[in-house]
Amino acid sequence: MGSFDGRQMKAEAAAALKNAAYSPKKLVLIHSGVTLAVTLALVTLSYLLGLVVGGTGGLGGLGTRSILETVQMLLQFGNMLLQPFWSIGFVMVVLSIARSQRADAGTLLTGFHRFGPVLRLNLLRGMLYFALLMVAAQVGQILFMMTPAAKSIYGQLEQMLQQGTSNPAEVLDQELLMQLVLKSLPFMGVITAVLLIPVSYRLRMAEFILMDHPEMGALFALGASNRLMKKNCFRMFKLDLQFWYYYALELAATLVFYGDYILKLMGVEIGMSPDAAMFVFAVAGMVCQLAVYVWKKDLVYTTYARVYDSLLTPPPVQPVWQPAEPDIPSQS
């Protein structure tokens, strides 16, 4: 397998962006703008629903509330269903730019044109992550029960034995079970990081591979990504650290988005209704996100596309006007 140098990848990505036939910033603006516009529509609907619920009572406004709640639920479900196909279109954009091929607004729709493979990739990856989360939850709770912090839980179990009760549900009520879950969250978080981070790095190239070889399918993309990233995970981690400012600003924008909840947890009075606060902070957060994406998202993801090409054996070499057909290692 190939390897890469992070600084060289950034330099090559910057050169590819500079020479792109279609403005990468415009593509980022289109892609992120559509995503945030849908989010804004959902937030606005939630705000309007709050106003309707606050201004009506009893059965009079039941019909209106039901309609708004149904529309909101359908929009959220549709956004959740279509977002992966829209997101992977940007992967195709940066892959084309990294190879000095033309990418335009139509390239963003590539994920919808390859609906089946993209759907299977997200389902397989999602099931894998879900299984790891379940394992982390179980192991985290077991580790918590082995610490002195679980003394109160053992006290309840001792009470159960003294009463001759064989059914833990009779003693461990819902409140106590919730305390068990909350107190074991730090342990779950550590186990989740230990399990998920290495796996996520091994699967980082799956979407690039699927865009190159949709005919090979999702399972092949996951397996090929695992092979390409073998012995390269730490290099990718160091490359991610070079973009610390991008991820820090993205996190800051997310915190602004949920600023009303954060201030509420801190006991800070906002001076406006909860629905209005949710709407104001959500819009502010989306504006910040859009600014961050337009500023650096094209460089970050084009760099990752250059990393992908550098890991291929042999690397793709063809004229600009020809479609890219890089060679992916076989499953043997």
Side-chain angles (χ1 to χ4, degrees), residues 294-306:
V294 173
W295 178 50
K296 283 294 180 183
K297 187 174 183 178
D298 55 346
L299 176 62
V300 173
Y301 284 87
T302 304
T303 301
Y304 293 144
R306 286 296 307 128

Side-chain angles (χ1 to χ4, degrees), residues 117-198:
V118 175
L119 177 62
R120 288 188 288 272
L121 174 64
N122 283 277
L123 288 176
L124 287 173
R125 190 167 50 187
M127 288 189 294
L128 175 60
Y129 288 164
F130 179 77
L132 292 176
L133 285 173
M134 292 298 99
V135 172
Q138 293 297 322
V139 174
Q141 290 186 11
I142 292 173
L143 291 178
F144 166 73
M145 294 299 291
M146 296 171 64
T147 66
K151 185 177 180 180
S152 61
I153 304 296
Y154 283 116
Q156 294 292 335
L157 292 174
E158 184 179 356
Q159 179 184 356
M160 177 188 69
L161 295 175
Q162 291 176 352
Q163 294 175 351
T165 304
S166 58
N167 183 8
E170 296 179 9
V171 176
L172 298 176
D173 56 16
Q174 185 175 1
E175 182 178 355
L176 188 60
L177 289 174
M178 183 60 66
Q179 291 180 11
L180 172 61
V181 172
L182 292 176
K183 291 181 179 180
S184 60
L185 280 179
F187 297 89
M188 295 182 191
V190 172
I191 300 301
T192 299
V194 170
L195 293 178
L196 280 184
I197 291 178

Side-chain angles (χ1 to χ4, degrees), residues 91-285:
V91 172
M92 191 64 187
V93 165
V94 295
L95 187 59
S96 300
I97 292 175
R99 294 173 176 173
S100 298
Q101 299 170 348
R102 180 176 175 80
D104 53 26
T107 312
L108 292 170
L109 300 175
T110 305
F112 296 98
H113 299 156
R114 301 173 181 179
F115 190 89
V118 175
L119 177 62
R120 288 188 288 272
L121 174 64
N122 283 277
L123 288 176
L124 287 173
R125 190 167 50 187
M127 288 189 294
L128 175 60
Y129 288 164
F130 179 77
L132 292 176
L133 285 173
M134 292 298 99
V135 172
Q138 293 297 322
V139 174
Q141 290 186 11
I142 292 173
L143 291 178
F144 166 73
M145 294 299 291
M146 296 171 64
T147 66
K151 185 177 180 180
S152 61
I153 304 296
Y154 283 116
Q156 294 292 335
L157 292 174
E158 184 179 356
Q159 179 184 356
M160 177 188 69
L161 295 175
Q162 291 176 352
Q163 294 175 351
T165 304
S166 58
N167 183 8
E170 296 179 9
V171 176
L172 298 176
D173 56 16
Q174 185 175 1
E175 182 178 355
L176 188 60
L177 289 174
M178 183 60 66
Q179 291 180 11
L180 172 61
V181 172
L182 292 176
K183 291 181 179 180
S184 60
L185 280 179
F187 297 89
M188 295 182 191
V190 172
I191 300 301
T192 299
V194 170
L195 293 178
L196 280 184
I197 291 178
V199 172
S200 64
Y201 271 91
R202 294 297 287 265
L203 303 182
R204 281 283 288 270
M205 298 299 155
E207 292 181 333
F208 289 110
I209 294 169
L210 190 67
M211 290 296 95
D212 258 347
H213 297 273
E215 75 286 352
M216 299 300 292
L219 193 60
F220 170 81
L222 293 172
S225 176
N226 180 58
R227 292 190 295 276
L228 285 178
M229 290 300 295
K230 186 178 181 180
K231 299 181 180 179
N232 285 300
C233 292
F234 188 64
R235 288 191 183 93
M236 181 63 77
F237 175 71
K238 290 194 295 184
L239 177 59
D240 287 339
L241 290 180
Q242 294 184 33
F243 292 121
W244 67 269
Y245 53 88
Y246 171 80
Y247 292 113
L249 290 174
E250 189 177 27
L251 175 61
T254 302
L255 293 177
V256 172
F257 188 94
Y258 295 104
D260 57 323
Y261 296 104
I262 296 173
L263 292 176
K264 183 178 179 180
L265 291 174
M266 295 172 61
V268 177
E269 293 292 336
I270 302 176
M272 62 181 72
S273 68
D275 293 321
M278 178 198 70
F279 183 79
V280 169
F281 278 96
V283 172

